[in-house]
């Protein structure tokens, strides 16, 4: 069970307080109507499944209800960093 | 004296406190301080069970958690039955009732034993896969027979009478194991000011020191243990947990501990005490001082009762004052095990011989044995054992230097006990739980914990350092290192001295050769609990299983309740030898939580019965109870389902409720509907993005129905949203979807459109909501309010603040029944008051309470959908015939708009929601029934969609149903057929889903 630092509450809390919300940094196309079916399909359905570093969204569901980003190693389950929405990761796959 | 194997003195038992207990229906006596195993051995009980597959007699092998055979069923009453308890870990108490779990009809006379002996050859590895695979339908039958014959204990048939609980703990340092290494680590860290938890599975701290005659700091080891324990207990920063097994080591230094609080006291916890407690620990640092398990040697007939681990024999002698036999033969690959022969000899019993597999053993302990006149047979091995229910003798022969074959003639020795030691295996289990792969270490002939990402240190035998002095030193170092990592000051702790014993090099030997090849030799057991033999492992390798994980699964090695604590490494070594590769090349299996079995009670704790899941009640719940409501679970809510009168069936109650509502007036407690308060200058813009329809022009005081879609265009929730102020809205959601919708709104606001100024607050519980519905509802409302709720000044889809029954209210003129309808919202704690006032005034109108079922019927008569019942994440608004609730020309491309335009979403033959009228009006179709166009089609019939809602409508005097049908919206009046499981073929007609009042006149009055 993970021990997750909420960047808004400023504390580590148990995983039970959080929900995972999937891959981070997927932006909704600004003009969906001009997207081809393929582009829209990529936005909706296609996700990475890396072995190693993964940037993902978590929400402090039973805490402050804030969404934030986590860089997590999918092999060791280490959390390398947490950062707020709109920020970019510092730890990235080489 | 009945305890024929008990010594007159010595051990950590209290001879002044005799305890009586029962084993397999017979009474025995032991002493306070005994385990069930030591008491059985003291009484000369040899047999503790029958083996799983071959049903061979089995005796106690070990003295701790690794015991594979002495697996007991405990419990004096049905409600206190506990299966699969290791007798070696169960402390004795007066009145303990135990029995062997396997052996049918009993361990002494076992029917399966005969079958096993006859059929042994017919049960090779992979037996279950090969034999019980086909036909698959028979597996359930096979499994029952296998389980009855083999026995794996049984669960109680009555509710557990005891209580359990859980605790969340946080600490600087969690020390696992309280042997010399763990104690030193805890002592050092505690003196440095760290908050420490130290847990050990045994009833007393001290680990192996409890079983040895060693000295620490010049005094008896036990005295040193007592003084350290006392200091730790006195330190308010230290939590001391005996009888506590650290069962799991999970991500981010999260550990779970199973603490047995009262299982050593009585059959059930005395005086309402807790039986077991589950600690959930988050530790900044962890010291694993989990010790090592002795590895038995694998030789022919090594499972005859009386064959034990050398260290276990010493434990029984030194700790419990029990010598489990008279004539001992010790077989060893190392010096350490010589202690067992010395202990046996010093207890006054005969050591027939020490059989050492090494050519030239020379250490101090070897000399000590020779000085006592004990025969040491070097370069030899016990290659076979005689006896069936107890060892009667052994065959000894000299072996080659590498231990691969027998080289000399076979000599027989008389013996009733064989102790064996193949060295020690570090207890790497917890380290494995974290995903770390153990590393082979040639020097210690064992696996040690591998690399880890956890904040974890190791100390003592688990690191491969098997000496007491080394454990003390490493424990101290680990404690000091933890202090440093924690940023605490170093502590002043002197490492106590322990005697250094000079030992000669051990031999890496696992499998003792026989004069015959392994496949023809008598059975040489590797895993006692699952009856896995050396020849079985070789066979698995011959059949092509080369990965150790496959060998494990094929032979079932390590699959028992003991997880192969004794056998796995021997099994890997045998596979490696057969495959002509090294052990590191062969690799190792790893272990999973839990380290030892844990009772479900401890995992559940207090989260059972009424505390299993929270129940949510509306403010009017008390009234519903008093008025005989039947309840339905909607999420965590308890909602009234229907309100039967005396003698009424459910259908009769529903008919009455439905008719009363349409004829006069019905009332529904709608408090559970999700309510989200939305404010901010961009609230209106936000609604336009998350709903399919338009919100730009909704004026204050008006309400609007909206469909909420996912990006793929599919409906996931619906509800009415009302404009409370220019920048203020109240959104309602389905009862079950409230939390999901709130999360959805937050997600889009926080991650996609943070520039919008909008705030969301759940206000579901703040309001009590009661819906009065029916032609007389306005009359009733007018009796309770002075505000104008007339047709002219309070129109359909209006809302207004009003005073109802003397309290402030929001009244919404919206309708889910198609009738004239008012939804009255008041502050939740006024709810019951207003509800009761409505009934006071409503009696003359036959005001009838109804629940969710009548609500479902009334809305189905009108063709109103229920998101989650009539939708399943695969239907978009046009499929529902609800294109009127979509505004395709809004400036912002709302969620779902693009998704709905995908190729698949605009197909003409999509399944679409329609009404269904059975030709026979009395037939109510089952929900979920699949429709077909051609009732004569051959099986599998092409299915064209299923029924989502189906009811008896008392108002229409016939059945009504909503269903999906391929291209259904263009098939009005056409036939569709429903083949049912009972063989009937129900003919039906496709129609509009609006069965009643298609023009909506009833609500516009």
């Amino acid at each position: 069970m993970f021990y997750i630092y909420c960047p808004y509450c400023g504390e580590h809390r148990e995983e039970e307080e959080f929900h995972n919300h999937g891959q981070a940094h997927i932006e909704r196309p600004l003009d969906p109507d001009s997207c081809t079916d393929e582009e829209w399909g990529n936005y909706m359905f296609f996700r990475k499944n890396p072995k190693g570093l993964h940037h993902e969204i978590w929400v402090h569901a039973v805490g402050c209800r804030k969404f934030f980003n986590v860089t997590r190693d999918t092999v060791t389950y280490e959390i390398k960093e947490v950062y707020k929405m709109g920020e970019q990761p510092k730890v990235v796959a080489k | 004296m009945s305890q024929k194997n008990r010594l007159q003195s010595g051990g950590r038992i209290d001879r002044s406190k005799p305890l009586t207990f029962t084993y397999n229906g017979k009474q025995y006596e032991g002493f306070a301080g005994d385990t069930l195993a030591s008491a059985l051995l003291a009484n000369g009980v040899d047999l503790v069970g029958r083996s799983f597959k071959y049903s061979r007699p089995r005796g106690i092998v070990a003295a701790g958690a690794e015991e594979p055979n002495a697996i007991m069923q405990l419990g004096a009453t049905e409600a206190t039955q506990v299966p699969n308890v290791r007798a070696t870990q169960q402390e004795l108490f007066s009145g303990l009732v135990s029995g062997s779990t396997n052996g049918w009809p009993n361990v002494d006379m076992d029917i399966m034993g005969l079958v096993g002996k006859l059929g042994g050859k017919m049960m090779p590895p992979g037996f279950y896969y090969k034999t019980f695979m086909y036909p698959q339908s028979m597996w359930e039958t096979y499994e029952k027979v296998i389980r009855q014959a083999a026995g794996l204990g049984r669960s109680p048939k009555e509710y557990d009478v005891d209580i359990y609980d859980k605790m969340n703990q946080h600490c600087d340092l969690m020390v696992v194991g309280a042997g010399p290494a763990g104690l030193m680590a805890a002592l050092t860290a505690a003196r440095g000011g760290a908050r420490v938890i130290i847990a050990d599975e045994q009833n007393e701290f001290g680990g192996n020191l409890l079983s040895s005659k060693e000295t620490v700091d010049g005094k008896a080891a036990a005295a040193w243990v007592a003084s350290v324990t006392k200091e730790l207990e006195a330190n308010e920063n230290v939590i001391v947990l005996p009888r506590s097994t650290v069962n799991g080591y999970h991500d981010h230094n999260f550990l779970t501990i199973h603490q047995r609080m009262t299982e050593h006291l009585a059959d059930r916890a005395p005086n309402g005490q807790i039986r077991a407690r589950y600690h959930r620990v988050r530790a900044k640092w962890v010291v694993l001082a989990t010790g090592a398990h002795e590895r038995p040697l694998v030789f022919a007939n090594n499972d005859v009762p009386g064959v034990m681990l050398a260290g276990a024999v010493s434990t029984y002698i030194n700790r419990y004052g029990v010598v489990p036999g008279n004539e001992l033969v010790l077989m060893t690959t190392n010096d350490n095990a010589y202690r067992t022969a010395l202990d046996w000899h010093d207890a006054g019993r005969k050591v027939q011989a020490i059989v050492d597999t090494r050519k030239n053993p020379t250490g101090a302990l070897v000399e000590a044995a020779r000085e006592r006149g004990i025969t040491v047979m070097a370069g030899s091995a016990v290659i076979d054992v005689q006896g069936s229910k107890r060892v009667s003798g052994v065959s000894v022969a000299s072996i080659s230097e590498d231990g691969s074959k027998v080289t000399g003639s076979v000599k027989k020795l008389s013996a009733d006990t064989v102790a064996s030691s193949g060295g020690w295996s570090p207890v790497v289990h917890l380290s494995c739980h974290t995903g770390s792969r153990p590393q082979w270490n040639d020097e210690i002939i064992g696996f040690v914990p591998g690399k880890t990402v956890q904040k974890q240190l190791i100390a003592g035998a688990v690191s491969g350092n098997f000496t007491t002095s080394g454990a003390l030193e490493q424990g101290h170092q680990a404690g000091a290192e933890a202090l440093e990592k924690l940023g605490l000051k170093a502590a002043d702790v002197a490492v106590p001295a322990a005697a250094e014993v000079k030992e000669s090099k051990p031999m890496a030997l696992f499998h003792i050769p026989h004069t015959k090849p392994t496949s023809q030799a008598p059975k040489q057991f590797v895993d006692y609990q699952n009856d896995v033999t050396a020849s079985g492992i070789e066979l698995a390798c011959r059949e092509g299983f080369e990965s150790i994980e496959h060998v494990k699964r094929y032979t079932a090695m390590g699959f028992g309740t003991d997880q192969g604590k004794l056998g796995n490494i021997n099994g890997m070594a045998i596979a490696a030898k057969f495959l002509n590769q090294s052990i590191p090349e062969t690799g190792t299996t790893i272990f999973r939580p839990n380290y030892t079995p844990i009772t479900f009670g401890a995992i559940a704790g207090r989260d059972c019965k009424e505390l299993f899941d929270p129940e949510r009640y509306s403010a009017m719940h008390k009234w519903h109870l008093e008025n005989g409501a039947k309840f339905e679970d909607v999420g965590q809510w308890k909602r009234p389902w229907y309100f039967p009168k005396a003698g009424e069936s459910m259908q009769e109650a529903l008919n009455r409720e439905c008719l009363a509502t349409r004829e006069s007036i019905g009332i529904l407690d709608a408090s559970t509907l999700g309510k989200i308060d939305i404010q901010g200058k961009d609230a209106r813009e936000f609604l336009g993005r998350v709903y399919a329809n338009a919100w730009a022009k909704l004026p204050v005081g008006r309400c609007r129905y909206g469909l909420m879609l996912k990006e793929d265009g599919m409906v996931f929730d619906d509800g009415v949203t009302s404009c409370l102020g220019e920048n203020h809205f109240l959104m309602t959601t389905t009862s079950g979807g409230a939390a999901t919708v709130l999360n959805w709104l937050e997600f889009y606001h926080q991650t996609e459109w943070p520039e919008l100024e909008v705030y969301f607050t759940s206000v579901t519980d703040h309001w009590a909501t009661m819906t009065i519905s029916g032609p007389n509802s306005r009359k009733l409302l007018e009796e309770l309010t002075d505000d104008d709720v007339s047709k002219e000044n309070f129109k359909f889809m209006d809302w207004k603040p009003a005073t109802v029954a003397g309290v402030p209210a929001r009244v919404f003129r919206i309708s889910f029944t198609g009738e004239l309808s008012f939804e009255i919202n008041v502050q939740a704690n006024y709810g019951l008051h207003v509800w009761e006032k409505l009934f006071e005034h409503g009696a003359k109108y036959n005001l009838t309470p109804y629940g969710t079922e009548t609500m479902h019927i009334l809305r189905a008569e009108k063709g109103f959908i229920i998101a989650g019942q009539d939708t399943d994440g695969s239907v978009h608004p046009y499929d529902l015939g609800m294109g009127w609730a979509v505004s395709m020309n809004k400036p912002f491309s709302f969620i779902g708009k693009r998704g709905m335009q995908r190729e698949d979403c605009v197909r003409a033959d999509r399944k679409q929601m329609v009404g269904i009228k059975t030709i026979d009006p009395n037939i109510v179709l089952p929900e979920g029934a699949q429709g077909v166009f051609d009732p004569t089609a051959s099986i599998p019939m092409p299915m064209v969609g299923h029924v989502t809602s189906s009811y008896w409508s008392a108002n229409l005097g016939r059945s009504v149903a909503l269903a999906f049908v391929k291209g259904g919206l263009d098939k009005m009046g056409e036939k569709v057929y429903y083949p049912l499981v009972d063989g009937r073929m129900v003919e039906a007609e496709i129609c509009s889903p609006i069965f009643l009042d298609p023009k909506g006149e009833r609500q516009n009055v």
Side-chain angles (χ1 to χ4, degrees):
Chain A
M1 198 165 77
F2 298 163
Y3 202 37
I4 300 171
Y5 182 84
C6 171
Y8 295 94
C9 294
E11 283 185 16
H12 275 93
R13 293 300 183 93
E14 297 296 325
E15 185 182 332
E16 290 163 341
E17 295 190 13
F18 301 86
H19 288 160
N20 183 293
H21 228 277
Q23 187 181 329
H25 305 296
I26 297 170
E27 284 175 38
R28 189 173 195 264
L30 288 175
D31 185 7
D33 297 351
S34 69
C35 287
T36 63
D37 272 6
E38 189 178 348
E39 285 164 345
W40 191 251
N42 283 338
Y43 161 66
M44 280 200 304
F45 300 123
F46 286 84
R47 298 294 181 264
K48 289 179 185 156
N49 183 21
K51 181 178 180 180
L53 292 182
H54 188 229
H55 308 291
E56 55 197 15
I57 297 179
W58 285 75
V59 57
H60 198 177
V62 295
C64 63
R65 295 207 328 245
K66 287 285 193 183
F67 289 80
F68 56 94
N69 301 298
V70 169
T71 304
R72 185 172 65 92
D73 188 316
T74 59
V75 177
T76 63
Y77 290 0
E78 286 170 288
I79 290 178
K80 301 288 191 183
E81 62 177 335
V82 297
Y83 53 103
K84 293 180 180 176
M85 276 304 142
E87 295 176 355
Q88 290 301 311
K90 293 191 182 72
V91 184
V92 290
K94 282 165 198 133
Chain B
M1 179 173 158
S2 61
Q3 300 183 44
K4 65 173 188 178
N5 286 332
R6 184 78 72 181
L7 294 171
Q8 292 301 325
S9 63
R12 306 185 61 74
I13 46 162
D14 186 348
R15 288 176 178 75
S16 69
K17 287 187 189 146
L19 304 170
T20 35
F21 68 101
T22 311
Y23 169 66
N24 279 348
K26 229 173 125 180
Q27 274 217 341
Y28 296 94
E29 200 167 88
F31 294 124
D34 260 328
T35 61
L36 177 54
S38 67
L40 287 170
L41 288 172
N43 285 282
V45 174
D46 295 330
L47 249 67
V48 292
R50 290 273 174 172
S51 75
F52 184 77
K53 200 158 92 179
Y54 304 117
S55 208
R56 290 166 65 114
R58 291 282 162 84
I60 294 164
V61 167
E66 69 275 33
E67 172 62 38
N69 291 338
I71 306 298
M72 300 293 176
Q73 180 84 20
L74 254 54
T77 66
E78 186 52 44
T80 53
Q81 290 298 309
V82 186
N84 298 329
V85 176
R86 292 154 308 287
T88 49
Q89 290 193 296
Q90 174 63 47
E91 290 171 65
L92 199 65
F93 57 79
S94 185
L96 181 145
V97 177
S98 63
S100 47
T101 51
N102 42 15
W104 174 52
N106 63 58
V107 284
D108 283 316
M109 195 200 79
D110 188 292
I111 290 169
M112 281 301 285
L114 295 171
V115 179
K117 274 175 188 149
L118 296 172
K121 277 244 160 35
M122 284 152 36
M123 293 175 87
F127 173 69
Y128 298 106
Y129 303 114
K130 288 167 179 166
T131 311
F132 293 126
M133 234 358 233
Y134 308 102
Q136 212 167 15
S137 58
M138 280 296 284
W139 169 247
E140 279 185 33
T141 313
Y142 293 143
E143 193 189 13
K144 273 180 206 146
V145 174
I146 292 168
R147 282 185 190 278
Q148 192 193 358
L152 290 168
R154 66 177 185 87
S155 314
K157 293 192 180 74
E158 290 175 13
Y159 281 111
D160 196 328
V161 285
D162 284 317
I163 50 174
Y164 302 81
D165 73 6
K166 280 187 250 188
M167 267 187 162
N168 293 321
Q169 309 272 20
H170 294 264
C171 64
D172 293 326
L173 182 65
M174 169 84 230
V175 180
V176 185
L183 284 171
M184 272 312 287
L187 183 71
T188 307
R191 284 205 189 152
R195 293 173 59 227
V196 177
I197 298 175
I198 178 167
D200 191 282
E201 61 184 353
Q202 300 205 63
N203 60 328
E204 290 184 87
F205 279 6
N208 216 33
L209 293 178
L210 298 170
S211 313
S212 84
K213 290 177 177 160
E214 284 181 76
T215 59
V216 174
D217 240 1
K219 49 193 173 189
W224 176 81
V225 170
S227 77
V228 173
T229 307
K230 199 173 156 197
E231 179 176 337
L232 293 174
E233 282 170 342
N235 187 329
E236 59 177 13
N237 280 330
V238 180
I239 296 175
V240 171
L241 297 175
R243 300 187 179 91
S244 299
T245 307
V246 180
N247 253 324
Y249 187 175
H250 307 268
D251 299 312
H252 303 181
N253 268 11
F254 181 73
L255 300 97
T256 50
I257 307 177
H258 176 207
Q259 183 184 12
R260 294 166 296 280
M261 312 275 288
T262 55
E263 283 169 33
H264 59 294
L265 297 177
D267 190 53
R268 63 168 296 189
N271 309 321
Q273 291 176 61
I274 309 292
R275 184 174 177 90
R277 175 171 285 162
Y278 198 53
H279 297 264
R280 298 149 41 100
V281 181
R282 191 66 76 172
K284 287 184 186 153
W285 278 87
V286 168
V287 171
L288 294 182
T290 47
H293 287 149
E294 197 169 31
R295 204 161 50 231
L297 289 162
V298 177
F299 50 101
N301 289 311
N302 58 341
D303 67 328
V304 177
V307 177
M308 300 175 73
L309 288 169
V313 171
S314 281
T315 297
Y316 288 115
I317 296 172
N318 294 329
R319 185 167 174 188
Y320 301 105
V322 173
V323 195
N326 291 306
E327 291 178 322
L328 175 78
V329 168
L330 169 74
M331 169 160 61
T332 179
T333 62
N334 57 77
D335 281 15
N336 191 288
Y338 275 68
R339 292 175 209 268
T340 300
L342 302 180
D343 291 336
W344 190 278
H345 178 90
D346 295 350
R349 307 269 171 111
K350 180 154 178 57
V351 178
Q352 287 287 38
I354 296 173
V355 180
D356 196 319
T357 59
R358 300 169 296 180
K359 280 279 176 255
N360 193 20
T362 55
L365 293 166
V366 181
E367 294 316 315
R370 288 190 170 122
E371 273 163 29
R372 281 171 173 80
I374 299 172
T375 310
V376 176
M377 301 169 76
S380 300
V382 173
I383 62 163
D384 202 350
V385 175
Q386 287 85 48
S388 67
K389 289 183 185 172
R390 177 78 197 203
V391 174
S392 60
V394 297
S395 304
V396 179
S398 55
I399 56 170
S400 59
E401 200 152 341
D402 65 354
S404 66
K405 52 182 179 290
V406 174
T407 54
S409 58
V410 178
K411 188 180 166 193
K412 294 215 170 169
L413 292 178
S414 117
D416 63 4
T417 308
V418 180
S420 88
S421 175
W424 293 76
S425 300
V427 177
V428 297
H429 300 64
L430 287 174
S431 134
C432 287
H433 293 178
T434 68
S436 155
R437 287 245 155 214
Q439 301 285 314
W440 180 257
N441 181 326
D442 262 329
E443 204 164 307
I444 65 137
I445 314 168
F447 284 99
V448 294
K451 273 201 308 193
T452 181
V453 297
Q454 305 293 326
K455 291 187 165 63
Q456 168 211 295
L457 305 166
I458 56 172
V462 67
S463 72
N465 192 330
F466 299 130
T467 66
T468 301
S469 57
L472 292 166
E473 177 58 39
Q474 279 194 331
H476 175 253
Q477 276 171 15
E481 195 179 338
L483 283 175
E484 196 190 316
K485 305 257 191 208
L486 289 161
L488 296 168
K489 271 197 211 123
D492 181 23
V493 183
V495 180
E500 297 275 356
V501 181
K502 198 178 164 304
E503 292 188 8
S504 50
K505 205 170 167 334
M507 176 176 175
L509 183 63
F510 309 89
H511 182 194
I512 302 297
H514 193 269
T515 51
K516 295 177 184 167
T518 304
S519 58
Q520 288 161 33
K523 288 193 166 52
Q524 303 165 326
F525 284 93
V526 176
D527 179 330
Y528 291 110
Q529 205 172 84
N530 277 342
D531 270 352
V532 178
T533 61
S535 70
I537 290 168
E538 291 189 357
L539 179 64
C541 295
R542 260 204 307 281
E543 290 188 8
F545 293 92
E546 293 183 356
S547 152
I548 194 67
E549 293 286 354
H550 291 159
V551 170
K552 172 180 164 178
R553 276 155 187 79
Y554 196 56
T555 60
M557 176 176 79
F559 273 67
T561 61
D562 60 344
Q563 273 198 50
K565 291 187 177 72
L566 288 186
N568 275 12
I569 291 177
N570 283 333
M572 290 165 213
I574 290 165
K577 190 172 85 176
F578 188 83
L579 296 166
N580 247 325
Q581 56 192 25
S582 69
I583 293 179
E585 279 167 349
T586 308
T588 174
T589 58
I590 58 166
F591 302 95
R592 297 187 195 136
N594 289 311
Y595 174 66
T596 46
I598 171 172
T599 175
F600 277 111
I603 298 170
R606 300 292 172 99
D607 300 325
C608 55
K609 296 178 185 164
E610 68 275 18
L611 297 179
F612 178 67
D613 196 32
E615 285 180 4
R616 298 174 78 181
Y617 306 134
S618 84
M620 289 79 89
H621 188 73
K622 177 171 157 269
W623 191 95
H624 304 327
L625 285 174
E626 288 167 1
N627 286 272
K630 299 285 178 201
F631 289 90
E632 178 183 33
D633 291 339
V634 180
Q636 291 171 330
W637 289 104
K638 291 281 174 198
R639 293 197 72 179
W641 189 18
Y642 61 102
F643 290 84
K645 288 191 168 167
E648 251 181 358
S649 69
M650 179 172 176
Q651 190 59 53
E652 285 163 356
L654 298 178
N655 291 349
R656 175 178 51 73
E657 291 171 12
C658 285
L659 291 169
T661 304
R662 296 227 188 269
E663 280 164 12
S664 179
I665 179 167
I667 182 166
L668 172 78
D669 180 352
S671 305
T672 63
L673 278 185
K675 293 177 273 293
I676 301 170
D677 187 273
I678 304 176
Q679 300 192 38
K681 70 176 171 60
D682 297 314
R684 192 179 288 276
E685 168 65 21
F686 191 88
L687 288 174
R689 296 183 182 190
V690 297
Y691 272 130
N693 50 350
W695 296 84
K697 294 187 183 119
L698 185 73
V700 177
R702 290 289 287 168
C703 314
R704 184 166 290 169
Y705 173 81
L707 284 176
M708 207 174 278
L709 315 182
K710 296 222 155 164
E711 290 283 16
D712 58 6
M714 304 305 161
V715 174
F716 92 99
D717 207 83
D718 69 341
V720 170
T721 294
S722 309
C723 185
L724 304 183
E726 193 46 41
N727 298 324
H728 190 186
F729 294 82
L730 181 73
M731 174 186 284
T732 61
T733 73
T734 56
S735 297
T740 313
V741 171
L742 180 61
N743 194 52
W744 179 254
L745 303 178
E746 290 282 8
F747 176 72
Y748 270 90
H749 179 228
Q750 290 180 36
T751 67
E752 292 294 347
W753 311 313
E755 69 281 5
L756 297 186
E757 192 186 320
V758 57
Y759 305 91
F760 311 96
T761 311
S762 167
V763 293
T764 304
D765 298 87
H766 302 45
W767 298 91
T769 305
M770 47 212 95
T771 305
I772 51 173
S773 206
N776 286 319
S777 53
R778 183 181 284 124
K779 280 192 216 157
L780 174 59
L781 181 58
E782 279 171 342
E783 289 187 30
L784 289 168
T785 183
D786 296 330
D787 291 277
D788 185 353
V789 294
S790 66
K791 183 185 179 196
E792 296 70 32
N793 294 317
F794 193 38
K795 296 195 172 61
F796 184 55
M797 296 307 268
D798 276 354
W799 83 272
K800 64 162 56 178
T803 301
V804 178
V807 303
R810 287 173 179 168
V811 182
F812 300 79
R813 203 187 142 190
I814 54 180
S815 178
F816 197 39
T817 60
E819 297 296 323
L820 173 67
S821 185
F822 299 91
E823 198 182 282
I824 304 162
N825 283 256
V826 296
Q827 198 180 307
N829 43 3
Y830 291 137
L832 188 58
H833 159 76
V834 176
W835 183 271
E836 284 174 340
K837 280 284 172 205
L838 285 165
F839 273 92
E840 225 172 81
H841 291 260
K844 55 182 170 294
Y845 303 114
N846 184 30
L847 176 63
T848 300
Y850 67 88
T852 50
E853 194 64 20
T854 288
M855 174 187 85
H856 282 196
I857 299 170
L858 295 174
R859 63 89 204 180
E861 289 170 350
K862 289 290 298 173
F864 295 149
I865 62 157
I866 289 191
Q869 175 167 343
D870 301 300
T871 70
D872 60 2
S874 73
V875 296
H876 58 55
Y878 296 95
D879 295 335
L880 293 165
M882 292 172 79
W884 53 266
V886 181
S887 172
M888 277 297 189
N889 45 20
K890 285 192 284 185
F892 191 90
S893 183
F894 61 87
I895 298 172
K897 182 185 178 189
R898 178 65 186 82
M900 266 190 287
Q901 293 163 346
R902 287 174 297 148
E903 197 182 314
D904 188 63
C905 294
V906 294
R907 277 188 293 119
D909 64 340
R910 282 182 68 82
K911 291 176 183 171
Q912 294 162 334
M913 195 186 83
V914 292
I916 293 291
K917 276 185 186 166
T918 49
I919 301 303
D920 176 349
N922 291 313
I923 296 178
V924 181
L925 287 166
E927 287 170 0
Q930 288 284 350
V932 298
F933 287 142
D934 177 5
T936 63
S938 58
I939 292 169
M941 304 171 90
M943 294 180 288
V944 298
H946 69 285
V947 175
T948 58
S949 293
S950 179
Y951 311 94
W952 174 256
S953 163
N955 284 298
L956 295 165
R958 63 156 299 127
S959 67
V960 296
L962 301 176
F964 281 85
V965 174
K966 268 188 184 172
L969 291 173
D970 292 328
K971 291 190 180 343
M972 291 298 146
E974 292 181 28
K975 290 280 167 59
V976 61
Y977 299 84
Y978 292 94
L980 303 184
V981 279
D982 60 10
R984 281 183 296 163
M985 177 70 70
V986 179
E987 186 181 5
E989 185 185 298
I990 299 170
C991 62
S992 156
I994 308 170
F995 294 91
L996 186 133
D997 184 26
K999 291 190 182 143
E1001 286 159 346
R1002 297 179 69 94
Q1003 66 196 11
N1004 286 320
V1005 291

